[in-house]
């Protein structure tokens, strides 16, 4: 398999899952401006949507969208314990979290990357994100991870997106429990490996 990625983007969540589940894979960094990869491919042909991640499977088929890719990877390596068994109530809790992270937290912080964002829009997105932080603190009050005692693909995704707060001077120290959660995930060996491989501090 090959993961098309950009350092620290939401593709890092997939990268973490690949390592946590002990997959064999290659990495190909995407230049998001030129749409060329370090390996010499035209990324627009790999993923016409134009953004990361994309995962080329061993049979040549390409999967896109972080949440979908992570579910595929977890379901095909059940022994890794990164997702509850499909059909269980816990599995739908996982889907609930993935959707919330993708459509609310990712969307709120992702808007801040837009160079045309107005001060009013930026303030609105940050205020919305802060409300979500309050919700996350409550959700994590009695558990180390989103689903309980076990790290899941939802944690890989949330950790990655929360990593963007430093780029926008949003201090997670206002939410000590959330800051501890991020630190707990950052200390995982496979997370550290993924970050080092992407050239990020680990």
């Amino acid at each position: 398999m090959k993961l098309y990625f950009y350092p620290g983007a939401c593709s890092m969540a997939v990268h973490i899952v690949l390592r946590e589940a002990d997959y064999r894979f290659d990495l190909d960094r995407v230049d998001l401006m030129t749409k060329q990869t370090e390996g010499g491919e035209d990324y627009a042909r790999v993923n016409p949507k134009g953004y990361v991640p994309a995962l080329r499977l061993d049979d040549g088929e390409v999967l896109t969208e972080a949440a979908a890719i992570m579910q595929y990877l977890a379901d095909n390596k059940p022994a890794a314990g990164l997702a509850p068994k499909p059909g269980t109530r816990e599995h739908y809790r996982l889907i609930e979290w993935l959707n919330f992270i993708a459509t609310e937290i990712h969307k709120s912080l992702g808007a801040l990357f837009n160079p045309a964002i107005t001060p009013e829009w930026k303030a609105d997105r940050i205020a919305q994100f802060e409300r979500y932080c309050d919700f996350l603190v409550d959700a994590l009050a009695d558990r180390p991870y989103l689903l309980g005692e076990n790290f899941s693909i939802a944690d890989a995704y949330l950790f990655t997106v929360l990593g963007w707060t430093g780029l926008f001077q949003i201090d997670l120290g206002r939410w000590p429990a959330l800051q501890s959660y991020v630190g707990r995930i950052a200390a995982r060996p496979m997370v550290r490996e993924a970050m080092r491989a992407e050239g990020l501090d680990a």
Side-chain angles (χ1 to χ4, degrees):
M1 289 189 288
K2 180 190 288 188
L3 174 65
Y4 298 88
F5 79 105
Y6 183 81
C10 59
S11 51
M12 191 172 77
V14 177
H15 188 176
I16 290 169
V17 170
L18 284 163
R19 291 182 183 274
E20 289 276 355
D22 197 26
Y23 278 96
R24 296 182 62 182
F25 64 97
D26 297 316
L27 292 169
D28 200 355
R29 178 174 173 158
V30 179
D31 185 319
L32 297 176
M33 296 297 293
T34 66
K35 306 303 182 188
Q36 297 294 309
T37 78
E38 280 191 344
E41 292 186 66
D42 177 358
Y43 190 63
R45 294 176 63 86
V46 176
N47 181 10
K49 297 171 186 174
Y51 52 78
V52 294
L55 183 69
R56 187 179 297 282
L57 306 178
D58 291 336
D59 63 4
E61 190 171 339
V62 174
L63 277 178
T64 63
E65 304 300 330
I69 296 170
M70 289 188 290
Q71 288 178 86
Y72 172 85
L73 294 172
D75 289 348
N76 279 277
K77 283 283 189 83
L82 296 174
K85 184 178 178 180
T88 62
R89 182 174 300 179
E90 291 78 11
H91 186 78
Y92 295 106
R93 287 295 183 195
L94 173 68
I95 295 173
E96 180 181 28
W97 275 115
L98 291 172
N99 278 280
F100 173 69
I101 296 165
T103 64
E104 302 303 327
I105 301 178
H106 185 162
K107 183 174 66 176
S108 292
L109 287 176
L112 304 182
F113 287 104
N114 185 342
I117 193 169
T118 65
E120 295 79 12
W121 185 18
K122 181 176 181 179
D124 176 76
R125 292 297 83 203
I126 291 175
Q128 184 64 71
F129 171 71
E130 291 173 345
R131 288 192 287 272
Y132 291 147
C133 286
D134 293 337
F135 167 74
L136 289 169
V137 167
D138 288 343
L140 290 165
D142 61 349
R143 62 189 65 188
Y145 300 110
L146 292 173
L147 294 181
E149 295 299 317
N150 298 318
F151 175 87
S152 74
I153 60 176
D155 297 297
Y157 195 4
L158 181 58
F159 168 80
T160 297
V161 177
L162 290 178
W164 302 343
T165 56
L167 299 173
F168 305 115
Q169 290 76 54
I170 300 172
D171 183 11
L172 288 182
R174 291 174 51 191
W175 302 274
L178 198 53
Q179 193 172 46
S180 295
Y181 168 81
V182 169
R184 188 158 51 249
I185 295 174
R188 294 178 68 85
M190 293 301 101
V191 173
R192 295 175 64 83
E193 281 193 16
M195 294 180 72
R196 279 194 294 267
E198 295 194 13
L200 305 172
D201 291 335

